[in-house]
């Protein structure tokens, strides 16, 4: 019984072909395409307004050089939100519960911010490894600690997204199983548990959006240090 709870996180396959590629490519089909007309429908207008608000908020602390990342970061957040939300539907697969996929997003983008910092302003980038006013005996220790924390950043990005979504999906499945088990024996308790399940589902919808925003926000903060 315990193993079946984790079956939802196994990458599905059909005729030996992994279907994770379809799960990753499908969200792009769902986005409405802006028309060349001056007046769009309400959905496209709302989508454009939300993207503009998010991009302005994200690019606010960055200088002009960091604005080149606006399209990439906005697209990444929309992509992660869509995947996370689709994963809450029944009989669907959430690719962002796979640590390998999240690390595939986190490591290259984090490495790009580090490379940009080392290329444009190497003195400032290396200066982050040693806080100002550090006593001389603590300099080697602090350099080692700051270097380790620098390399932990992409791991923290990937693990945070994976852990939050995995924990939410497991909790929803556990409570849903409890509702089905309690319904024949204690209907009143089952109804109360179903109410908790409904509230938890609403919470997971918020978590799906917040985690995508936090992922992109932390990337923008890493970029801010190196631009």
């Amino acid at each position: 019984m315990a193993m079946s709870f984790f079956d939802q996180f196994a990458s599905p396959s059909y005729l030996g072909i992994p279907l994770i590629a379809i799960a990753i490519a499908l969200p792009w089909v769902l986005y409405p395409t802006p028309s060349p007309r001056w007046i769009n429908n309400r959905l496209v207008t709302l989508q454009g307004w939300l993207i503009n608000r998010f991009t302005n908020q994200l690019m606010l602390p960055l200088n002009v050089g960091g604005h080149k990342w606006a399209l990439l970061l906005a697209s990444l957040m929309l992509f992660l939100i869509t995947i996370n939300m689709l994963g809450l539907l029944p009989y669907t697969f959430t690719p962002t519960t796979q640590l390998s996929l999240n690390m595939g997003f986190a490591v290259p983008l984090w490495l790009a911010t580090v490379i940009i910092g080392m290329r444009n302003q190497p003195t400032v980038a290396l200066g982050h490894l040693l806080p100002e006013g550090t006593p001389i005996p603590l300099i080697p220790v602090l350099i080692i600690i700051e270097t380790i924390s620098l390399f932990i950043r992409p791991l923290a990005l990937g693990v945070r997204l994976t852990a939050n979504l995995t924990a939410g999906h497991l909790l929803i499945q556990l409570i849903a199983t409890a509702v089905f088990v309690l319904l024949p024996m204690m209907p009143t308790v089952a109804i109360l548990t179903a109410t908790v399940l409904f509230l938890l589902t609403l919470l997971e919808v918020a978590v799906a959006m917040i985690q995508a925003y936090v992922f992109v926000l932390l990337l923008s903060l890493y970029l801010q240090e190196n631009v």
Side-chain angles (χ1 to χ4, degrees):
M1 185 67 175
M3 291 299 296
S4 64
F5 288 143
F6 294 92
D7 289 344
Q8 60 178 319
F9 304 117
S11 180
S13 60
Y14 182 72
L15 297 178
I17 302 174
L19 300 181
I20 188 172
I22 299 177
I24 294 175
L26 182 61
W28 298 109
V29 185
L30 303 177
Y31 300 138
T33 305
S35 64
R37 297 177 299 178
W38 284 14
I39 301 178
N40 292 318
N41 57 34
R42 292 182 177 87
L43 182 59
V44 175
T45 304
L46 179 61
Q47 174 185 273
W49 180 80
L50 290 174
I51 293 175
N52 288 334
R53 292 293 298 174
F54 165 74
T55 306
N56 291 335
Q57 185 70 23
L58 199 62
M59 296 293 111
L60 192 61
L62 300 179
N63 55 24
V64 179
H67 292 178
K68 301 175 183 178
W69 287 62
L71 179 61
L72 175 62
L73 295 179
S75 302
L76 179 61
M77 194 203 69
L78 280 177
F79 180 67
L80 291 177
I81 285 179
T82 309
I83 286 183
N84 295 345
M85 297 290 286
L86 290 177
L88 293 174
L89 297 175
Y91 304 104
T92 56
F93 172 68
T94 312
T96 44
T97 56
Q98 306 294 313
L99 182 61
S100 57
L101 177 69
N102 296 331
M103 293 301 294
F105 285 134
V107 172
L109 293 173
W110 164 83
L111 187 59
T113 61
V114 174
I115 292 175
I116 287 176
M118 295 298 294
R119 186 187 65 179
N120 295 341
Q121 43 184 12
T123 305
V124 178
L126 293 176
H128 291 303
L129 300 179
L130 184 62
E132 187 177 355
T134 304
I136 295 179
L138 296 179
I139 288 178
V141 178
L142 281 180
I143 290 178
I144 295 174
I145 293 175
E146 291 295 330
T147 304
I148 294 174
S149 67
L150 177 65
F151 284 97
I152 284 178
R153 285 180 174 181
L155 182 62
L157 280 176
V159 170
R160 180 186 294 106
L161 183 59
T162 304
N164 281 281
L165 295 179
T166 302
H169 283 64
L170 280 176
L171 197 55
I172 286 177
Q173 187 171 359
L174 285 170
I175 297 180
T177 304
V179 171
F180 281 107
V181 171
L182 293 173
L183 190 59
M185 298 182 295
M186 293 179 286
T188 305
V189 178
I191 292 174
L192 294 176
T193 310
T195 305
V196 174
L197 177 62
F198 175 73
L199 297 176
L200 179 63
T201 305
L202 294 181
L203 177 63
E204 281 304 307
V205 171
V207 168
M209 294 186 288
I210 291 173
Q211 288 303 316
Y213 176 74
V214 168
F215 188 91
V216 177
L217 179 63
L218 289 177
L219 280 176
S220 67
L221 293 179
Y222 299 157
L223 181 64
Q224 180 184 357
E225 294 180 358
N226 296 284
V227 174

